[in-house]
Amino acid sequence: MAVRQQSVPVAERTTSQVQRASRAGLAGLGASLQTIGIIALKELRTYFTSWMAYALIAVYLFIAGFIYWVVVGRMSHSLPLSPFFAELAIILMFIVPLLTMRLLAEEKSTGTVELLLTSPVTDWQVVLGKFFGVFGVHTVLVLLTAHFPIMLFKWGNVDKGIIWSSYLSLWLTGGIFLSIGLWASSLTDSQVVSGFLAFGVLLMLWLVNIFGFTMQNAFGEFCRHVSVLSHLEDMTSGVIDTKDLVYCVSVIGFFLFWAKQVLESRKWK
Amino acid sequence: MVEVEQLTKKYGEVTAIKDVSFRVERGDILGFLGPNGAGKTTTMRILTCFMAPTSGTARVGGYDIFKDSLEVRRLIGYLPEGVPLYRDMAVRKYLLYCAALRGVPRRGREDRVDEVMAKTHVDEFADKIIGKLSKGQRQRVGLAQAIVHDPPVLILDEPTASLDPAQTREARELIRTLGKDHTIILSTHILAEVSMVCNRVIIIDGGEVKAVDTPDNLSRQIRQSDVIQLRFKRAPSDAAQQLRKLKGVQRVQQQDGAFMVETSLDADLREELAAFAVNKGWGLLELRRMELSLEDAFIEITSGHVERIVAASSEARQEGGTD
């Protein structure tokens, strides 16, 4: 399967902007990234010092293993692995709200947000730090499923390109889900509400995708266009399109921006 | 070091603070005194850049809280009310995190944390999980995080609330020590605390600054009257007026069916009052001299007597003498 890569002038432009910015204040940028890193690392540690991360990983791997067994066992000849990755994405949908619900809601309900935001950090650094922290957990989660394709590499005959692009897709889908979860967590000081909200939005995304599949009318067409998941299905079939990557990053950016706005709104209330 | 100019904060229709202005000089320990809901926390949240005021401005170390918010926050160590800490972290790890977040360089960060832990006596439970600590211990961790980056200004919101007496004394001792090389703003509703720790006091009530003075001057103003509480079985409707006419009585207030008779300091009117009530046949049920602790006196101030005291205080100042 071909891995399609488009050359996009936007990407070049971004690079030159970054270069200019870095020349303007490399030290500032470094310090800023460092702050994001400090927050992200703290979040990551928090997940792994409680039982939360381990429990979720255990459940995730168990279900993933089960699906793998079903998918690979049932269709053993020249299988497309895309159903496997699609199922993994759906499990993520259930797990992500559990991961993200505490991110900001907990800080708000315990009041620790006050200490965080009165430290010399910007609201962006807080949001990005939180995001990358939980994204780290998700990355661990994705990496831990690596033994499934490795088994296939060893004993099966699979297109490695598809596997790689499917992983990229799973990784980025998780990113989108997490950004939605983080946004939901910024809206409330109740973890339960934030978890439900995130889950509701993710469920809507999924439904929109299903409508897009099943309805052949204009509404179906519309759903296909706005669907987050359909962009990612291309990838699980082995096509990495820069358009899809830009789309993913934009959606993540959109929800993170929104979360940052919500966080900032304390100042104009 | 800290200049606050006409800060006003409204939550919708409700005005939390109104035209609050004050200055804190380097090395001052300023006590922010007021009942709950007076606007202490709001003022502190604005100073620490957690919230923005509706109008007015403030500067910390010359930096504006809007324009140079990050600089301001670098200069400030903050202990919010209720000491919110990450309960699932160990003390040392938490302090290391705070130090990193506030820009303490990696080299020397561990040493700095050790130093702060020794100073605030949290070193004995450095590796315990914060959620498992007692309130007093948590309070000390709260203080430790506030000073971990060695900020010149400390803002402490009720630093001794919910501590037992021994711990309170210890905390005050610590704050006094910190006051030697920090500028401190602390809020409290305990007047005694102010007179023990602070060298300047702001009394705030209903969102407005009612008085700014040294603790000595203020408590002298506050303790200018005694209160005797009386209860009668058959008080006539004009009982308060009759009581007011008695010699030495300054003021009479009715509270939950009791009469609070305010007399000048040390003029013990209990005997006279008892005789008066018995003569009138009001059926004296209770006569009690209210032990006016400093706290009670302060509560009085902030529940309406304050104008009088402020007036007296400014009169005294104008005359350039004592009351």
Side-chain angles (χ1 to χ4, degrees):
Chain A
M1 192 66 71
V3 176
R4 179 151 44 97
Q5 198 84 47
Q6 289 178 351
S7 76
V8 174
V10 174
E12 289 165 21
R13 208 159 55 221
T14 325
T15 324
S16 73
Q17 266 170 4
V18 168
Q19 276 168 355
R20 224 176 301 142
S22 63
R23 250 172 287 157
L26 196 65
L29 186 71
S32 181
L33 289 180
Q34 205 180 352
T35 306
I36 294 172
I38 291 164
I39 297 173
L41 210 62
K42 186 251 158 198
E43 287 303 321
L44 194 63
R45 279 218 195 96
T46 304
Y47 282 109
F48 286 101
T49 44
S50 71
W51 285 101
M52 178 103 169
Y54 300 105
L56 287 181
I57 286 172
V59 170
Y60 186 75
L61 289 184
F62 177 77
I63 300 175
F66 184 70
I67 293 169
Y68 178 81
W69 176 65
V70 170
V71 170
V72 175
R74 233 187 20 207
M75 316 175 278
S76 50
H77 37 85
S78 74
L79 56 142
L81 263 185
S82 54
F84 173 61
F85 284 102
E87 299 298 332
L88 285 190
I90 287 169
I91 312 169
L92 264 190
M93 211 159 86
F94 289 89
I95 283 184
V96 160
L98 293 173
L99 276 178
T100 56
M101 62 183 193
R102 51 161 291 276
L103 279 174
L104 284 162
E106 190 183 34
E107 296 239 17
K108 284 197 208 174
S109 69
T110 58
T112 47
V113 71
E114 208 169 324
L115 272 179
L116 180 61
L117 294 177
T118 54
S119 296
V121 298
T122 63
D123 292 355
W124 258 125
Q125 287 167 340
V126 170
V127 167
L128 288 176
K130 295 261 172 191
F131 176 73
F132 285 119
V134 74
F135 199 57
V137 179
H138 164 61
T139 306
V140 171
L141 210 61
V142 169
L143 287 179
L144 283 176
T145 62
H147 58 288
F148 298 121
I150 287 171
M151 278 193 278
L152 285 181
F153 286 166
K154 204 160 161 59
W155 293 296
N157 180 22
V158 285
D159 186 333
K160 290 186 182 172
I162 295 188
I163 303 275
W164 289 128
S165 68
S166 299
Y167 261 114
L168 186 61
S169 141
L170 188 65
W171 198 51
L172 290 174
T173 313
I176 290 180
F177 290 178
L178 292 169
S179 68
I180 292 171
L182 178 55
W183 159 78
S185 190
S186 74
L187 289 173
T188 163
D189 56 10
S190 154
Q191 294 195 44
V192 176
V193 171
S194 120
F196 265 111
L197 187 63
F199 184 63
V201 174
L202 294 179
L203 204 61
M204 281 303 298
L205 289 183
W206 191 36
L207 286 179
V208 163
N209 194 44
I210 289 174
F211 290 151
F213 267 123
T214 52
M215 291 183 169
Q216 294 310 317
N217 52 18
F219 182 64
E221 180 71 21
F222 170 74
C223 288
R224 265 196 296 286
H225 275 291
V226 298
S227 166
V228 173
L229 296 172
S230 72
H231 278 269
L232 298 152
E233 265 153 21
D234 289 349
M235 279 198 243
T236 50
S237 56
V239 185
I240 297 179
D241 192 331
T242 328
K243 187 181 73 190
D244 290 331
L245 295 183
V246 169
Y247 173 82
C248 281
V249 174
S250 310
V251 174
I252 293 173
F254 171 73
F255 279 103
L256 293 187
F257 175 73
W258 197 350
K260 177 232 144 202
Q261 290 297 101
V262 173
L263 202 58
E264 209 174 69
S265 72
R266 73 183 188 278
K267 291 205 164 176
W268 17 276
K269 252 180 226 158
Chain B
M1 201 64 197
V2 179
E3 298 152 72
V4 176
E5 276 165 33
Q6 294 180 313
L7 280 190
T8 299
K9 173 76 186 175
K10 288 181 182 157
Y11 299 101
E13 291 294 296
V14 185
T15 306
I17 56 170
K18 196 176 153 198
D19 273 342
V20 169
S21 305
F22 59 89
R23 287 168 70 90
V24 190
E25 304 302 333
R26 189 182 296 271
D28 267 356
I29 304 184
L30 175 83
F32 225 58
L33 193 61
N36 294 332
K40 299 179 302 240
T41 299
T42 303
T43 312
M44 294 189 151
R45 281 183 171 167
I46 291 172
L47 277 180
T48 52
C49 308
F50 181 66
M51 276 185 193
T54 311
S55 66
T57 180
R59 278 183 299 281
V60 177
Y63 293 107
D64 189 280
I65 54 164
F66 290 117
K67 286 182 227 137
D68 316 297
S69 155
L70 284 178
E71 291 300 327
V72 168
R73 284 182 271 169
R74 258 180 218 118
L75 294 180
I76 285 178
Y78 180 37
L79 175 66
E81 198 180 1
V83 200
L85 303 170
Y86 297 112
R87 303 176 66 94
D88 45 8
M89 283 177 103
V91 174
R92 182 194 303 273
K93 289 236 173 79
Y94 173 68
L95 292 175
L96 281 169
Y97 165 68
C98 290
L101 202 60
R102 306 207 188 120
V104 177
R106 188 189 300 267
R107 185 195 301 263
R109 200 181 287 160
E110 303 244 351
D111 292 342
R112 174 66 195 158
V113 166
D114 284 342
E115 188 187 317
V116 165
M117 285 199 301
K119 210 174 193 178
T120 52
H121 308 294
V122 302
D123 40 2
E124 57 218 65
F125 44 84
D127 296 311
K128 259 182 136 183
I129 303 292
I130 292 175
K132 297 220 156 77
L133 300 180
S134 73
K135 269 187 182 167
Q137 292 173 325
R138 236 177 282 162
Q139 197 91 20
R140 278 186 265 165
V141 177
L143 273 174
Q145 66 78 29
I147 61 173
V148 74
H149 52 303
D150 199 18
V153 179
L154 289 178
I155 296 186
L156 312 171
D157 200 352
E158 310 225 342
T160 60
S162 76
L163 296 183
D164 70 32
Q167 293 167 335
T168 306
R169 192 186 311 166
E170 212 177 289
R172 285 176 189 158
E173 202 58 52
L174 181 59
I175 292 167
R176 244 193 320 234
T177 319
L178 290 172
K180 282 178 192 142
D181 40 22
H182 295 80
T183 303
I184 301 180
I185 300 179
L186 66 86
S187 79
T188 177
H189 49 252
I190 304 165
L191 187 71
E193 183 159 298
V194 162
S195 51
M196 270 182 256
V197 179
C198 307
N199 56 15
R200 246 154 50 81
V201 192
I202 288 184
I203 293 188
I204 182 170
D205 185 32
E208 289 178 75
V209 173
K210 299 282 186 181
V212 187
D213 215 329
T214 63
D216 284 351
N217 282 348
L218 270 179
S219 51
R220 209 175 300 138
Q221 304 302 333
I222 290 164
R223 287 187 50 114
Q224 62 179 358
S225 60
D226 261 352
V227 175
I228 294 166
Q229 177 180 311
L230 293 159
R231 249 176 232 280
F232 308 110
K233 202 166 185 180
R234 299 172 295 273
S237 54
D238 64 339
Q241 275 143 26
Q242 292 193 38
L243 285 171
R244 201 168 295 141
K245 282 184 193 135
L246 284 175
K247 192 165 177 268
V249 173
Q250 294 181 337
R251 215 173 137 95
V252 181
Q253 274 189 316
Q254 264 173 295
Q255 239 175 50
D256 310 324
F259 293 85
M260 313 297 283
V261 176
E262 227 178 283
T263 69
S264 53
L265 200 58
D266 301 327
D268 192 346
L269 286 187
R270 279 177 293 180
E271 200 184 340
E272 287 86 340
L273 283 168
F276 181 76
V278 169
N279 276 342
K280 295 275 179 181
W282 289 351
L284 182 61
L285 294 176
E286 186 186 340
L287 186 150
R288 194 149 61 99
R289 182 170 180 185
M290 303 301 281
E291 284 301 324
L292 250 190
S293 69
L294 289 175
E295 281 98 48
D296 294 331
F298 159 70
I299 288 165
E300 276 202 23
I301 272 210
T302 50
S303 59
H305 298 213
V306 83
E307 284 78 12
R308 207 155 43 81
I309 283 148
V310 174
S313 153
S314 60
E315 254 169 48
R317 233 174 296 150
Q318 274 163 10
E319 286 162 18
T322 57
D323 46 322

